[in-house]
Amino acid sequence: TFQTNVLTELRKWKLSLIEHHKLQMRQEKEKHAAHVRELSNEMENLKELLHTYEISIGQKDEVITNLTQALEKQKERVDLMRTFTLWRIQHVQAKQEEYANRIADRQFRTALLKKVWGAWRSLSEEKWKEKVAKACQLRAEDVCVQLTNDYEVRIAELTATLEQTKAEVLRLHSERDQYEDTMKKAFMRGVCALNLEAMTMFQGK
């Protein structure tokens, strides 16, 4: 009958709707599972990338620590060399000042001797005393000339030593500047190399 046909069609339509709904649910579940797998893979990749970053940062920190320690050691060495050089300069200056004081003392005693000798000679009236005075004066003048020559030679030697010490100080300062510049360049090359390695790893990922 017509009613039976209508009920049959309604049941078919209902079953078709149910099957269609089940198909949509199954498709949605498959899409959800695929999305979950994609997110899981992406999370694993991010974990691996994070581990790579941690290793790279650790290596960079180690390089920076090594360079910092090397710079500290070089700074200590330069400070020690500077202290030793200053001590050498002060020692040479002290010796030079002591020698100059001895020269001044001897010249003072020589001048005093000449003055006393002149006074004694002015009081001498006998010819033999005059002859002795002249001979002694000549001898004293020869001694003074010899002492003066010896002192001038010694002063020249000390001046040359002082100049050599100053040159050594300049050379040490130059070596320190060159070493610091070399360490800076080495540090920058190390940092650039680490950055380049990190960029290569990021681009590879």
Side-chain angles (χ1 to χ4, degrees):
T1 63
F2 177 76
Q3 185 176 2
T4 303
N5 292 334
V6 170
L7 291 174
T8 302
E9 289 297 327
L10 286 174
R11 283 194 297 269
K12 289 181 180 180
W13 182 68
K14 181 179 180 180
L15 292 173
S16 176
L17 286 176
I18 292 172
E19 290 296 328
H20 181 68
H21 179 69
K22 288 182 179 180
L23 178 62
Q24 286 183 341
M25 289 295 293
R26 187 164 54 252
Q27 290 177 351
E28 288 297 327
K29 286 181 180 180
E30 291 177 354
K31 289 181 180 179
H32 177 69
H35 184 62
V36 169
R37 287 192 301 270
E38 183 179 356
L39 290 176
S40 178
N41 292 333
E42 185 175 356
M43 185 178 295
E44 291 298 327
N45 291 334
L46 289 175
K47 287 181 179 179
E48 184 179 354
L49 182 60
L50 178 61
H51 181 65
T52 303
Y53 287 165
E54 290 175 351
I55 294 175
S56 177
I57 291 173
Q59 292 175 351
K60 184 181 294 184
D61 290 340
E62 184 178 357
V63 171
I64 292 173
T65 301
N66 293 334
L67 289 175
T68 302
Q69 292 177 354
L71 287 174
E72 289 296 330
K73 290 182 180 178
Q74 179 61 18
K75 182 180 178 181
E76 292 177 358
R77 179 174 176 270
V78 170
D79 291 338
L80 183 61
M81 293 175 64
R82 183 189 297 113
T83 303
F84 177 71
T85 302
L86 291 175
W87 176 83
R88 287 179 59 185
I89 293 176
Q90 292 175 356
H91 182 67
V92 171
Q93 289 178 346
K95 289 180 64 178
Q96 187 175 9
E97 184 177 358
E98 181 183 357
Y99 190 74
N101 290 333
R102 289 202 306 266
I103 292 176
D105 184 62
R106 289 183 182 179
Q107 288 180 345
F108 173 76
R109 285 184 295 176
T110 301
L112 182 61
L113 180 62
K114 287 183 178 181
K115 185 176 181 180
V116 173
W117 181 258
W120 178 81
R121 188 186 61 179
S122 64
L123 296 176
S124 302
E125 297 179 355
E126 292 81 6
K127 292 182 178 180
W128 68 271
K129 290 183 179 181
E130 291 180 358
K131 291 181 179 180
V132 171
K134 290 181 180 179
C136 289
Q137 181 182 4
L138 293 176
R139 179 57 181 169
E141 289 176 354
D142 292 339
V143 171
C144 290
V145 170
Q146 184 64 36
L147 288 175
T148 302
N149 293 334
D150 294 341
Y151 295 156
E152 288 177 354
V153 171
R154 182 57 180 167
I155 290 174
E157 291 176 355
L158 291 175
T159 302
T161 303
L162 180 60
E163 293 298 326
Q164 291 178 357
T165 304
K166 290 181 179 179
E168 180 69 14
V169 171
L170 293 177
R171 185 183 67 80
L172 292 175
H173 286 177
S174 177
E175 288 181 357
R176 180 197 65 185
D177 294 339
Q178 291 178 0
Y179 185 84
E180 290 179 351
D181 186 60
T182 301
M183 291 302 298
K184 289 179 182 177
K185 291 181 179 178
F187 177 78
M188 293 303 298
R189 285 199 297 270
V191 173
C192 291
L194 288 175
N195 291 334
L196 181 59
E197 182 181 356
M199 289 178 62
T200 304
M201 294 173 64
F202 297 159
Q203 291 176 358
K205 292 299 180 181

